[in-house]
Amino acid sequence: MSTATQLMAQYAAYHRDRRNIATHFVGIPLIVFAVGALLARPSFGVAGWALTPAAILWGLSSLWYLTRGSLALGLATSLANLVLIAAALPLGQLETLPWLAWSLGTFIVGWAAQFIGHYYEGRKPAFMDDLRGLLIGPMFVVGEGLFALGWGKAMLAEIEARVGPTHLRDLHAPAAR
């Protein structure tokens, strides 16, 4: 089982250009929101609570985040995902066409932001080599936000020791692999 630091370093190897990281602060929340909206249907009544596939996915992903060895990062990621998914759930109450239009539209815009970022990076998205990248992405964005606030200096130092600091890639030079 990989630790949060190992996963973050593996993901960071695909995300060293600061423009790419910036686009991920837009794209990944939009994707999490869109997945929450897409999975807002159907809703099942369980002990007086409305249970959706989005809630089940949030619970399972939170369990995964909380077992990566960094409780603070796991809690922060789970909370961020909860806020995004909770904000998306009302879309599930819309008629089918508006629900799909908003959900898929947000999903497409989120992925467009991701691919624009990877143009700057000069490298394909991490999930293309390891599907866990789809789970690590939200943790990476939350981690980067926390690093910017001064949290996790030891984790950040370990990540940078493994994959180097962030930079702005010269778009006219070949990308480093």
Side-chain angles (χ1 to χ4, degrees):
M1 180 172 4
S2 300
T3 66
T5 301
Q6 292 167 329
L7 293 166
M8 292 279 284
Q10 175 187 337
Y11 195 86
Y14 291 78
H15 303 88
R16 301 322 297 148
D17 187 286
R18 289 189 288 273
R19 295 165 294 195
N20 186 22
I21 294 169
T23 64
H24 282 54
F25 273 92
V26 174
I28 288 177
L30 285 174
I31 293 166
V32 171
F33 177 89
V35 169
L38 286 166
L39 297 178
R41 291 180 179 191
S43 180
F44 307 98
V46 177
W49 291 83
L51 185 63
T52 65
I56 294 167
L57 179 62
W58 175 81
L60 292 173
S61 66
S62 292
L63 181 63
W64 188 82
Y65 293 124
L66 293 169
T67 58
R68 299 303 98 191
S70 175
L71 184 59
L73 182 56
L75 284 171
T77 304
S78 297
L79 180 60
N81 286 345
L82 177 62
V83 168
L84 291 165
I85 290 171
L89 288 177
L91 290 179
Q93 304 303 311
L94 297 176
E95 295 293 326
T96 301
L97 190 56
W99 163 67
L100 280 175
W102 278 103
S103 300
L104 292 174
T106 306
F107 190 78
I108 290 166
V109 170
W111 277 108
Q114 297 296 93
F115 285 107
I116 289 168
H118 281 281
Y119 164 78
Y120 290 114
E121 189 73 42
R123 189 155 189 204
K124 63 186 173 184
F127 81 89
M128 291 185 171
D129 288 332
D130 184 349
L131 284 177
R132 290 182 304 174
L134 296 171
L135 274 171
I136 301 166
M139 184 170 66
F140 179 80
V141 168
V142 169
E144 287 290 323
L146 292 173
F147 296 154
L149 295 173
W151 174 89
K153 291 180 182 177
M155 181 184 282
L156 178 59
E158 178 63 27
I159 291 167
E160 288 183 346
R162 292 183 188 192
V163 299
T166 61
H167 59 268
L168 292 175
R169 182 176 77 86
D170 178 358
L171 298 179
H172 300 294
R177 297 284 169 206

